[in-house]
Amino acid sequence: MNFLDLIWLIPLFPVVGFLVNGLIGKRLPKSVVGIIGAGAVLVSFIFSAGAVLQLAQLPAEERSHTVRLYQWFDAGAAQTLGGQMARFQVDFGFLLDPLSSVMILVVTGIGFLIHVYSTGYMHEEDGFYRFFAYLNLFMFSMLTLVLGSNYLMMFIGWEGVGLCSYLLIGYYFHKKSAGDAAKKAFVVNRVGDWGLSIGIMLIFVSFGTIEFTAVGEAVREGLAAGSFSVSDPLFIGIALALFVGATGKSAQLPLYVWLPDAMEGPTPVSALIHAATMVTAGVYMVARSNFIFQMAPEAMAVVAVIGALTALFAASIGLVQNDIKRVLAYSTVSQLGYMFLALGVGAFAAGVFHLMTHAFFKALLFLGSGSVIHAMHHEQDMRKMGALKNKIPITFKTMAIGTLAIAGIPGLAGFFSKDEILWKAFSNPQGHVILWLLGVVVAGMTAFYMFRLLFMTFYGESRVDHHVEHHIHESPKSMTIPLMVLAAGSVVSGYLGIPLWLGGTNAFEHWLEPVFEPLPITQAAIVEHSHAFEAGMAALSVMVALAGIYLAYRKYYKTSYRAETEVASYGAAYPVLQNKYYVDELYDGLFVNRVKDAGVGLWKFDAKLVDGAVNGSASLTVTGANGSNWWDRWIVDGIVRFIGGFIKTASWPIRLIETGYTQNYALVMVLGVLIIIGYALWGGQ
Amino acid sequence: MDFFRQHILTIVAFWPVAGVIVLVFLNKENKTLIRWWANFVAFAGFVISLPIWFWFDFENSDQMQFIQKVPWIQNLGVEYHVGIDGISLLLVMLTTLLGPLALLSSWDAIDNRLKEYYAFLLMLQTGMIGVFISLDFFLFYVFWEVMLVPMYFLIGVWGGSRKLYAAIKFFLYTLFGSVLLLLGILALYFAYPGMAAQQPSLAAEFGTAHTFNVLAFQAMGSFLPAGLQWWIFLAFFVGFAIKVPMFPFHTWLPDAHVEAPTAGSVILAGVLLKMGTYGFLRFSLPMLPEGTKAFIPLMITLSIVGIVYGALVAMMQPDMKKLVAYSSVSHMGFVTLGMFALNPNGLNGSIIQQINHGISTGALFLIVGMIYERRHTREISQFGGISHVMPVFAVVFLIMTMSSIGLPLLNGFIGEFTILMGALQANLWYAIAAGSGIVLGAAYMLWLYQRTMFGTLDNPANQKLLDMNFREIVTVAPLIIMAFWIGLYPAPFFKAVEKPVNKIVLKVRPDFFQGAPQLNAGQPAVPAQGDAR
Amino acid sequence: MDQFFQIQDIGAIAPELEMAIFGMILLVADLLIEQKRKLGWIALVGIGCSASFLVLQRLRDVDVSAYGGMLVVDPFSAFFKFIFLLGAALSIAISLKYLDIERENHGEYYALILFATMGMMFMASAVDLVTLYIGLETMAIATYVLVGFLRNNQRSNEASIKYFLLGAFSSGILLYGMSLLYGISGSTKFVEIAEALSRRPLTDPISLMAMITLLAGMFFKIAAVPFHQWTPDAYEGAPTSITAYMSVAVKAASFAMMVRVFMVAIYPLRPEWVPIMSVVCVLTMTLGNIAAITQSNIKRLLAYSSISHAGYILLGLIAGNETGLVAIPMYLLIYTFTNIGVWAVVVALRRKDVIGEHVDDMSGLFFKHPVSAILMLIFLLSLAGIPPTAGFIAKYFLFAAAIETGHNVLAVIAVLNAAISIYFYFRIVVAMFMREATEKTGLVYSPGVLTALGVAILFTIFIGIYPDPLITMARQAVVMAF
Amino acid sequence: MVATHHYLFLAAALFTIGVIGVLTRRNIMIVLMSIELMMNAVNINLIAFSNHLQQVNGQIFAIFVITVAAAEAAVGLGIVIAMFKNKETMNINEIDLMKW
């Protein structure tokens, strides 16, 4: 079977699952629903794997395979900025290349595991079928996002995952907080999409196409022909516009606010969407647009700085969160910051590498936390946990692996990818020592709060509610097996990219090379560092992580957890961190409430001022006794009622002269004649 | 068959009136018969309009087709002259599609004075189709005004609590605009003979006598003095802008929508508003290219203000229907924005968006109508958690919400994105400013959805609501199908409008396609995708 | 020409003579016939005979100048005469039953209508001040009496008094102007007056005085602001059928006279009277409409509406070109059909104990008399100028004339007024269609009313849909006359 | 010698007196008489012009005016009597049943 030409089926299988579950799922038994849902993804995974294997067999320079299904739309002629004519036409096409192959494997692979996990986790829920339908729809969107051959195909997925995220966050729709979070997620994302769509449009008017490969070629050609130059404002504009989109979807500053709230959704959703796949879409998109970002070093600097700051910012909030999922959520934001840091310093492959490893261990951690929550009967507050180690051993062990991985302990996946990023932040020409330093600090904080999570949850004395205490049980196989597989992945996936200084080949980077081929731009020479120096830097970052772990060990393992001591230890910073730097409040005050005010204000304006002459003339029908208050009304009801009022005033004298007295009539006539005479004799000249 | 084919436009347009004539003689008490007959007439109207789509020559979509031309008032040079090109094709089909759905939606909702109700709806149908097929300005104006009366009655008799106010407001507002439009038409009419005397090409094709021929006026557009064009554009602007409605002429719309019965709202939003934009497209742009250019800044500004304004006001509405009504203001802002970006992308998108708006807003009004029928209130605060009791309804509502906020693979996206693309080609800031409408659009629609569908079902009155019945599903199903069709495969629609649009663009900006050969064909030679790149 | 008396002269005034004869027959028959309604039929026969003479005249298709050039028989006058006859006939048709209800069915009623109509016909033909004046007064005096025909009704008396006093006053003013014109030109013939005026400077004060006094008199007759105030009172107080008659025939006659005088006699002063007329036109349209908005008495409402219609028609004179002049007779004819239709319904509202003049009396008419309500709706739409009714065609011509001659501001004001007018017309519609029927709601039909309604609706719709023949006729009438 | 313009001034004066009479007198009969005065002013005008122009048209016109005025007066009296029967007043200010 030629899987390469069948890649369009990969997103389609989940659609079938979605349709079946969505339309008739209500009448199917839960097991069948689960099998359909997970099976659809499994088939996608098989097709993905087949396609990737076949792709790998091609020579490196031919590893780009486009399948055009049909022309999606053709909106007619357009003038590009260069004055050429182009047609705004978009294909319904799919592109398999090394980058998208990584993405589809991650998405379908981890997606499948999470589907399996969900069959267990969601088993008690109403609307089981609905959940799987949404999940499958999400898989479709996500696969379209990463497989699409052009920016608009990506945009389909981009918006589609947004919709699914909305639906899944709002899955417990009877909870107001869930509904609010869902809406917040969508609307904040829409702000990003605003930028993204502007970026896409700019790409079209600049290059006359939005196909990834064609745009890439156009950039290269333009560069060769001298029609484009590095740091061209156009490229900076496009890059920044795209990055605005990325900050929305990938929860970066300043648009990260939706992600922590998104934890209102069921835990598998958090794992799939808000950790492993959807939130990395921004990373994917920036990586995909590397040729544009390379042309705009200033924009890359912005990306790097935003990434680093987000990493630090989110990590600091994560230090004090007590909701197990919120800790993970901020951790995700922070890790995404890492990825953007990598992209920003030009280490696209490193960013994608971290994306992949992060997908494994973060999905693992979320699912593990789900397992904990499942065991704890939907208790998410870590302050009410503790000493769960022996009660749910599999969960504990797998989560421990995940924690070690994210902390960057050598030998696990996180170490390889994180170290790669830190090294590139230091050594790449676009890098800077401050960026590196931020990264290292974040690494330490990450290690600290993750181990805080681990210790608070599994160690120490039990703070569990008594009613819950004796119900605690290990999760069913359908949940633990995915955990174990992911734990394995969290270890193994790192070995795809063993760096050179460890004697590896950095296979992952090589695999992605065709996509991230640097543009022929003259830039500062890469300062060569010895492998020993690189190893030393790595050791340093590991030391910092270990320090973080030790700190956590001291605070949360050695001493039993007490809220007051924790609060006290942060001093004045605690409320700030606990309240997430008051950003939500700030946004509410600055934007949300202002928009609502504007809405109310304009509405009143509309009703009172803009509203038409009709209103005025309608009010005429009531001429009676409202003479006294009509001034009032005249002013309140504003401009257009003014016309009505004017008519009313005009009708007043008519009333005065229409007295019914014959002689008054005659008088008016005579006056009329006199006025005309006056006009004709003197006025006319 | 040949007769049918030659007269298809006339037949489609007047078929509903023929149905009304029969309807008048039905027994007033026999409500079932009246309902069946009216629905049959409307549905048959749709069926007999289908051949238009299939017989339409898409290759020559910029040529008027199915032309019928009969002298009417010879003293004035008025003709019964109908024909359609790609643009009118879409709008005619939209009208014949929405008509039966609107009728079907009133099956249970309307129970008093049925006969008149259906008669007015069907007469409205004729008026609307007539507007879109007229190629004679006089004829156009007649249809344009004719449909005011049935709409007035639909709002005034079967409307809500402030129906009389809303009805007369609708009527007066529109009438104010259209009488000025009439003056503009007259100015063109009297300018024509003089122009024809000077321009042999004009005289050769359309003669030198007074005429109302739209095509002649379009041809004249290139020669008309700019000053005159400016004034005529102003007159047209008021007429069409009120109908669209563009900010600040929009205040009739919320009232009319809120008070109108569901079917009225559907028709109003779905078709009537399009008459304004169609007017701009068919008349203002090609007939008054210089005037158009002079007004572009104003039109763009008003469009963008409309987009943002409509969205902001919509957000805070406590009444669902009013919310959707204000969203129309915002959506129609997109339509006019694309139109006055004056490039093929913008115009194409603008036309597609007109269709989209008809579909999604029409459906949203149907949806609001369904819930109103059940609860007799449209206060958003009265609802919450409806998903629990009306799952199918929730899904339909969701799809249409998504269509309205422009989710890709649904219709709204295609239109909005293309419009923004066109706007961006005109000026980056237009696109950025208008893009805010997308964010706000998501905000108000999702907020609405959240407040009504999500949450706990705490209002006891909502606990026994019935889900959509078969008739209601049948009513919205075509719209859902259309939404997906346009979202997934809009090619036929774009194909229908592209050539006429290019013609319009060439008219206003003759140098637009320069640099590309075959300028005269009206079809720019642009390398197909993949050839050049 | 030189001969004092020619047989053609008699032929020229045959239709008028015929009306006079039948008028006198009626006076005599009044003594003999007990059932007064029969007199109405006689009057109708008279009108029919007159109309057939008119047709015969037209068939010969020659313009006759009779009585030494004191009057002409041309297509223009024929067209107007046709309007008068039509107005008279339809008014009589709606009077028959109505007068019984008012208990005032007397023979002289019909005779007076015939005499008034005869006066109008002379007005339309007159090309000489003397003929014009006599025609005018014949019409006016007959109408004064008709307005006060409800002898026992104080409102009718009052209306009559007011109309009479103001009418006489205004004709005094008009007459003063005529005397000045005679003094200037030494002739009473329009053509010669025009010649004399064109020899004098435009700003000659005597010419201006003459023009202004003429204007005032004429504005009174057509009820233009500020000479309009008698109208609502007279319309309200007069028997409804006479109100109908006045609103169509008297108005048409006044316009016929106005067109002749202004387009021939004082045409040289056109630059002087156009601005004045423009202002009056704007005032008339606007005040008429605004005042109508607050009326709740249908007769009064329609009176104000008719004032505003006079304002529109002035547009035609202001434009003064072919389109404008064609518009005037066309408008008046269409207005005759439409307005008689409206009045027919109002007449039918009058029943034994119900005065039926209030808008509320129309409440729910649709439920009791759907056909009448729908007809009324169509008439009102026609008055408002909504296509495809005849009223649209009429308005179209006026607006077209204004645009064609560059009176753009006037045109804009006029169309906006036309739009406003829908507001008060639709108050009646609202009452008919959207209110519940009350006990008072109801109509009394008579064959006459039904016939009038039928004729009116037929032409209102027919002209609206296919106005071509009418336009051709009106165009002929005007082109050949001017 | 009495010149034409003297007649014209006389007529104008009479006419103005008539107008003022119409405007100010309260008794309907006097108002009617004022109108007659206006008519007669016109007659003076016509005859003066006729004399001035040495042709007969004006006099003919004047005779017609006199005739019409007589008819008008007759009708006017009739109307006034009809009203007096119902209302028993000659005061013009009491005729105000119909107004706005």
Side-chain angles (χ1 to χ4, degrees), chain A residues 254-292:
Chain A
L255 298 181
Y256 73 95
V257 286
W258 62 272
L259 184 58
D261 288 3
M263 296 302 133
E264 292 287 345
T267 308
V269 170
S270 310
L272 179 63
I273 300 186
H274 305 121
T277 54
M278 183 186 90
V279 289
T280 61
V283 179
Y284 165 78
M285 190 260 289
V286 173
R288 180 55 89 194
S289 317
N290 64 80
F291 35 78
I292 287 167

Side-chain angles (χ1 to χ4, degrees), chain B residues 118-428:
Chain B
Y118 284 117
F120 283 130
L121 265 180
L122 289 171
M123 271 153 41
L124 197 58
Q125 190 79 348
T126 293
M128 294 183 304
I129 297 172
V131 161
F132 294 132
I133 62 173
S134 298
L135 288 182
D136 185 281
F137 228 149
F138 192 93
L139 183 66
F140 167 84
Y141 188 79
V142 170
F143 280 124
W144 172 277
E145 294 253 294
V146 155
M147 37 118 281
L148 288 181
V149 180
M151 196 69 215
Y152 170 82
F153 276 96
L154 283 175
I155 300 175
V157 177
W158 294 273
S161 51
R162 294 168 73 225
K163 55 191 178 183
L164 293 180
Y165 168 74
I168 195 72
K169 190 170 179 180
F170 161 78
F171 203 124
L172 273 183
Y173 242 115
T174 326
L175 197 63
F176 266 110
S178 47
V179 290
L180 290 174
L181 170 66
L182 175 65
L183 293 188
I185 298 173
L186 286 171
L188 280 174
Y189 173 74
F190 288 116
Y192 179 77
M195 286 291 138
Q198 288 168 21
Q199 304 291 344
S201 63
L202 212 53
E205 199 174 349
F206 302 103
T208 52
H210 282 294
T211 178
F212 278 102
N213 190 332
V214 168
L215 304 176
F217 287 170
Q218 288 182 349
M220 176 170 71
S222 319
F223 313 117
L224 216 56
L228 183 61
Q229 289 197 20
W230 195 91
W231 283 107
I232 300 177
F233 190 95
L234 190 65
F236 280 17
F237 163 71
V238 178
F240 296 141
I242 286 178
K243 202 90 186 181
V244 171
M246 289 177 81
F247 178 89
F249 301 112
H250 64 278
T251 53
W252 62 269
L253 183 85
D255 285 312
H257 269 314
V258 170
E259 301 306 327
T262 299
S265 296
V266 172
I267 295 291
L268 196 56
V271 187
L272 252 68
L273 305 191
K274 309 306 172 305
M275 290 169 39
T277 44
Y278 175 80
F280 277 124
L281 271 174
R282 174 71 75 228
F283 308 114
S284 296
L285 266 52
M287 289 178 190
L288 312 162
E290 293 303 317
T292 306
K293 277 187 214 162
F295 273 88
I296 284 177
L298 175 72
M299 304 300 288
I300 297 269
T301 314
L302 290 183
S303 305
I304 292 175
V305 170
I307 292 172
V308 178
Y309 186 94
L312 284 175
V313 178
M315 190 162 336
M316 300 316 294
Q317 294 305 318
D319 181 301
M320 276 191 233
K321 215 170 177 187
K322 218 162 184 174
L323 190 150
V324 180
Y326 272 111
S327 86
S328 281
V329 176
S330 186
H331 284 287
M332 294 311 279
F334 272 104
V335 172
T336 45
L337 172 69
M339 196 175 292
F340 286 91
L342 275 171
N343 49 41
N345 287 170
L347 277 161
N348 282 332
S350 157
I351 299 166
I352 300 295
Q353 185 67 355
Q354 289 178 41
I355 308 298
N356 291 339
H357 178 259
I359 292 166
S360 47
T361 308
L364 283 174
F365 276 121
L366 286 176
I367 285 165
V368 174
M370 288 171 196
I371 206 157
Y372 181 74
E373 247 178 75
R374 287 167 170 71
R375 284 280 279 102
H376 295 282
T377 177
R378 290 181 298 247
E379 285 284 313
I380 296 172
S381 55
Q382 289 280 316
F383 298 97
I386 303 295
S387 292
H388 292 281
V389 279
M390 302 174 72
V392 178
F393 179 78
V395 171
V396 171
F397 193 1
L398 182 70
I399 292 174
M400 281 311 159
T401 302
M402 291 300 149
S403 152
S404 169
I405 67 181
L407 193 84
L409 296 190
L410 282 165
N411 55 351
F413 171 73
I414 305 283
E416 272 179 11
F417 199 87
T418 322
I419 286 170
L420 287 178
M421 183 64 101
L424 183 126
Q425 285 161 35
N427 187 325
L428 173 63

Side-chain angles (χ1 to χ4, degrees), chain A residues 456-671:
Chain A
M456 277 179 79
T457 311
F458 294 103
Y459 290 92
E461 58 203 37
S462 174
R463 298 176 298 277
V464 183
D465 224 31
H466 288 300
H467 303 291
V468 181
E469 181 99 52
H470 42 267
H471 291 299
I472 297 177
H473 55 90
E474 183 58 283
S475 302
K477 284 233 165 50
S478 57
M479 289 165 69
T480 51
I481 291 175
L483 286 178
M484 291 186 276
V485 175
L486 284 171
S490 303
V491 178
V492 176
S493 62
Y495 291 90
L496 288 173
I498 306 169
L500 299 176
W501 61 273
L502 274 175
T505 52
N506 215 341
F508 194 80
E509 198 174 324
H510 279 299
W511 170 250
L512 289 174
E513 241 166 26
V515 185
F516 296 141
E517 194 187 337
L519 295 177
I521 301 169
T522 47
Q523 48 179 244
I526 297 174
V527 186
E528 287 297 331
H529 296 285
S530 67
H531 285 332
F533 181 68
E534 201 175 336
M537 298 292 276
L540 189 65
S541 72
V542 172
M543 295 296 285
V544 173
L546 286 174
I549 294 173
Y550 176 70
L551 210 61
Y553 174 77
R554 282 287 302 276
K555 282 182 69 127
Y556 299 101
Y557 184 76
K558 295 293 279 183
T559 54
S560 59
Y561 173 81
R562 280 184 63 201
E564 304 82 60
T565 40
E566 187 178 34
V567 172
S569 66
Y570 286 95
Y574 189 82
V576 177
L577 293 177
Q578 185 65 41
N579 286 302
K580 302 156 254 172
Y581 295 99
Y582 299 103
V583 171
D584 278 338
E585 287 77 6
L586 186 74
Y587 282 7
D588 274 354
L590 276 182
F591 306 113
V592 180
N593 292 339
R594 296 292 81 74
V595 167
K596 287 183 179 176
D597 288 349
V600 172
L602 288 177
W603 178 27
K604 289 200 177 125
F605 173 75
D606 205 57
K608 301 265 159 82
L609 252 78
V610 188
D611 209 347
V614 193
N615 235 346
S617 46
S619 73
L620 271 182
T621 46
V622 209
T623 40
N626 49 15
S628 57
N629 68 347
W630 76 270
W631 273 107
D632 206 26
R633 181 182 296 190
W634 191 45
I635 287 158
V636 176
D637 286 19
I639 299 173
V640 187
R641 286 230 182 190
F642 168 76
I643 296 174
F646 178 75
I647 296 176
K648 195 186 277 178
T649 19
S651 71
W652 191 245
I654 300 179
R655 229 186 129 119
L656 281 180
I657 51 177
E658 201 78 11
T659 48
Y661 295 128
T662 316
Q663 282 170 322
N664 285 3
Y665 297 179
L667 181 64
V668 172
M669 285 165 65
V670 172
L671 285 178

Side-chain angles (χ1 to χ4, degrees), chain A residues 26 68 70-79 83 85-92 140 152 155-156 159-160 163 166-167 170 173-176 179-180 182-183 186-187 190-191 194 197-198 200-202 204-205 207-209 211 214 217-218 595-596 598-600 602-603 605-606 610-615 617-618, chain B residues 165 168-169 172-173 247-248 250-251 255 309 312-313 315-318 326 344-345 348 387-388 391 398 402 405-409 413-414 417-418 420-421 424-425 428 431-432 435-436 438-440 442-443 446-447 449-450 453-456 487-491 494 498 509 512-513 516 523-524 526-529 533:
Chain A
K26 201 172 186 178
R68 279 186 56 186
Y70 65 96
Q71 188 182 69
W72 184 18
F73 65 88
D74 175 353
Q79 261 176 334
M85 298 307 297
R87 294 187 68 80
F88 180 39
Q89 44 186 223
V90 182
D91 286 338
F92 213 92
F140 158 75
L152 275 187
F155 198 69
I156 295 179
E159 293 278 297
L163 166 67
Y166 173 77
L167 293 171
F173 58 75
H174 49 87
K175 276 162 66 182
K176 182 174 188 306
D180 286 341
K183 187 192 66 182
F186 201 98
V187 174
R190 270 273 161 144
V191 177
W194 183 3
S197 16
I198 298 289
I200 296 174
M201 289 176 219
L202 280 173
F204 176 76
V205 294
F207 309 112
T209 175
E211 290 288 318
E217 275 162 36
V595 167
K596 287 183 179 176
V600 172
L602 288 177
W603 178 27
F605 173 75
D606 205 57
V610 188
D611 209 347
V614 193
N615 235 346
S617 46
Chain B
Y165 168 74
I168 195 72
K169 190 170 179 180
L172 273 183
Y173 242 115
F247 178 89
H250 64 278
T251 53
D255 285 312
Y309 186 94
L312 284 175
V313 178
M315 190 162 336
M316 300 316 294
Q317 294 305 318
Y326 272 111
N345 287 170
N348 282 332
S387 292
H388 292 281
L398 182 70
M402 291 300 149
I405 67 181
L407 193 84
L409 296 190
F413 171 73
I414 305 283
F417 199 87
T418 322
L420 287 178
M421 183 64 101
L424 183 126
Q425 285 161 35
L428 173 63
I432 292 180
S436 65
I438 296 184
V439 179
L440 294 171
L446 290 181
W447 198 24
Y449 192 77
Q450 183 205 342
M453 295 288 120
F454 288 174
T456 44
L488 284 167
Y489 188 62
F494 275 116
E498 180 175 354
R509 302 167 66 179
F512 184 82
F513 295 109
Q523 170 70 1
V526 173
Q529 180 116 41
R533 308 258 171 217

Side-chain angles (χ1 to χ4, degrees), chain C residues 129-130 133-134 137 140-141 144-145 148 150-162 164-189 206 213 232-234 236-237 290-292 294-295 300 304, chain D residues 8 11-13 15 18-20 22-23 28 31-32 35 38-39 41-43 45-53 55-61 64-66 68-69 71-73 75-77 79-87 92 94-100:
Chain C
L129 291 178
V130 181
Y133 178 69
I134 293 171
E137 287 300 318
I141 292 173
Y144 300 148
V145 180
L150 305 180
R151 274 174 290 192
N152 298 316
N153 181 327
Q154 282 199 16
R155 283 171 183 269
S156 185
N157 297 151
E158 192 179 313
S160 174
I161 282 271
K162 282 182 182 169
F164 164 70
L165 286 179
L166 293 169
F169 181 59
S170 80
S171 55
I173 296 175
L174 178 73
L175 206 50
Y176 192 75
M178 288 182 171
S179 73
L180 290 182
L181 280 185
Y182 167 69
I184 290 168
S185 60
S187 165
T188 49
K189 292 200 172 54
I206 307 250
T213 42
D233 293 356
E236 187 187 340
I290 291 176
T294 51
Q295 298 304 326
R300 240 179 138 75
Y304 280 111
Chain D
L8 297 186
F15 190 80
V19 168
I20 292 171
V22 170
L23 292 184
I28 294 178
V31 172
L32 249 174
I35 293 174
M38 288 165 66
M39 300 279 193
V42 173
N43 284 340
N45 248 357
L46 286 171
I47 291 165
F49 281 130
S50 171
N51 180 47
H52 177 75
L53 298 162
Q55 45 146 244
V56 80
N57 281 5
Q59 295 178 38
I60 296 171
F61 202 163
F64 275 114
V65 172
I66 292 168
V68 167
E72 220 166 48
V75 166
L77 284 174
I79 292 171
V80 171
I81 289 167
M83 193 204 70
F84 192 77
K85 268 193 201 159
N86 285 327
K87 194 147 182 168
I92 198 164
E94 284 169 34
I95 323 177
D96 60 349
L97 265 182
M98 287 173 295
K99 50 188 148 198
W100 180 272

